[in-house]
C-alpha cells in the first residue's frame, strides 16, 4: 500500500505515504502508470517528482503493461 486516497495516514507501524515515496523512482513509475495525474496528500504532483529525478536510478519494465478488464469483462 502506497497511498490512502488523498489523506495521509499514520499509526505506530505504518505511515502513508512513506516519507521518501516521492523520492523513489521504483515507487513513482508504477503509481504513474496507474494514474498519471496522481498527487500526494499535500498536493505535490507525483509526475513532477519523477521529472525532477536523475535518470541514473535503474528501473525497467518487466512483462507487458497492466491491462484492466473492460466493464463486465472477466479478468484473465
Amino acid at each position: 500500500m502506497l497511498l490512502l486516497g488523498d489523506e495521509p495516514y499514520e499509526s505506530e507501524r505504518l505511515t502513508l505515504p512513506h516519507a521518501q515515496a516521492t523520492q523513489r523512482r521504483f515507487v513513482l513509475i508504477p503509481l504513474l502508470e496507474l494514474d498519471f495525474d496522481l498527487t500526494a496528500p499535500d498536493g505535490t504532483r507525483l509526475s513532477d517528482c519523477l521529472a525532477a529525478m536523475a535518470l541514473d536510478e535503474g528501473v525497467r519494465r518487466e512483462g507487458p503493461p497492466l491491462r484492466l478488464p473492460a466493464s463486465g469483462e472477466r479478468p484473465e
Side-chain angles (χ1 to χ4, degrees), residues 17-54:
H18 185 278
Q20 296 175 346
T22 59
Q23 301 165 17
R24 295 181 170 168
R25 185 176 295 277
F26 71 91
V27 170
L28 294 174
I29 289 175
L31 280 174
L32 292 170
E33 285 181 334
L34 295 173
D35 182 350
F36 193 74
D37 295 323
L38 276 176
T39 60
D42 66 2
T44 302
R45 289 178 45 89
L46 299 184
S47 58
D48 292 341
C49 296
L50 181 61
M53 287 184 174

